[in-house]
Amino acid sequence: MSGFLSAAAIEEISKEASGSGRYLNPSKFTEETRLRFFGSGLTGFEAWTVDNKPIRWETKPEELPANIRQQEGYQTIKRFLAGVVYDYASDDFKILQMTQKTLMDQLFKYIADEDYGDPTNYDIKISKKGEGIKTEYTLVAAPPKEVKPALQARFDDLECDLTRLFDNEDPFGSSSV
């Protein structure tokens, strides 16, 4: 325990700095991360504003708002996939949002495989190597197994509406993302 700041202050600041700690972005991973999908997934399109805020649409927009950030070498608008996941490391439910095509392609291969199918039936492990344009992502599925009843009960009690992402709102609550 530090005398410099209280544990409550450190926790509050950490939550603010990490976007409330309820969101996972594979580009920020520093170690292999084990997750389990729950419920239904969501897909759409995403762009970022010049003031670093996400804008999401269900269908690809014909015209982008004027404040969309443009970066040389990067797509302005990307397809995303989002879902509620259980994060084993934090023992909490979070939103996993991925725009990385290699991760989505690897997940879709498991979904198409009759031995795996629906990703709510197995854990996945995501890892990242490298930085910038040389970043490589890997998604590996663990053998399918039933979710523990206590964990399923926790998910069943969870209030989360992924469609709130399209309104730039927090799927877990009332504040903006």
Side-chain angles (χ1 to χ4, degrees):
M1 175 69 170
S2 168
F4 181 69
L5 288 173
S6 70
I10 292 170
E11 182 177 344
E12 182 179 338
I13 292 167
S14 296
K15 284 182 180 180
E16 288 172 4
S18 64
S20 84
R22 300 295 301 260
Y23 298 88
L24 296 172
N25 179 338
S27 70
K28 307 288 187 217
F29 289 1
T30 57
E31 57 189 41
E32 183 176 85
T33 304
R34 188 177 189 110
L35 308 166
R36 176 76 172 241
F37 281 103
F38 280 80
S40 298
L42 179 90
T43 188
F45 295 88
E46 174 183 82
W48 288 81
T49 65
V50 292
D51 56 341
N52 213 29
K53 303 277 184 206
I55 299 177
R56 298 178 187 96
W57 303 269
E58 289 184 65
T59 57
K60 195 169 189 174
E62 291 182 26
E63 202 170 303
L64 294 176
N67 67 338
I68 295 298
R69 180 175 66 204
Q70 305 283 330
Q71 282 184 276
E72 190 174 326
Y74 291 92
Q75 289 179 297
T76 301
I77 188 168
K78 290 184 175 184
R79 164 84 65 181
F80 75 86
L81 179 144
V84 176
V85 293
Y86 175 73
D87 176 19
Y88 287 90
S90 67
D91 185 29
D92 200 7
F93 288 95
K94 299 185 178 191
I95 304 296
L96 172 66
Q97 183 175 320
M98 61 175 92
T99 58
Q100 297 84 359
K101 185 164 175 25
T102 55
L103 286 177
M104 288 190 266
D105 287 347
Q106 291 167 15
L107 178 63
F108 297 156
K109 285 179 184 175
Y110 285 109
I111 291 171
D113 185 323
E114 66 184 38
D115 291 332
Y116 286 89
D118 188 329
T120 61
N121 293 327
Y122 49 88
D123 294 347
I124 60 168
K125 294 180 268 184
I126 298 176
S127 58
K128 173 188 145 188
K129 239 179 21 176
E131 290 297 325
I133 201 152
K134 295 187 182 221
T135 306
E136 294 178 19
Y137 296 95
T138 306
L139 183 148
V140 176
K145 67 178 177 182
E146 293 290 319
V147 68
K148 293 181 178 167
L151 190 54
Q152 183 65 51
R154 282 177 59 192
F155 173 74
D156 292 342
D157 290 340
L158 186 69
E159 291 187 31
C160 182
D161 180 1
L162 286 175
T163 63
R164 294 178 65 132
L165 289 170
F166 294 122
D167 297 323
N168 203 33
E169 295 177 355
D170 184 351
F172 292 111
S174 59
S175 63
S176 292
V177 176

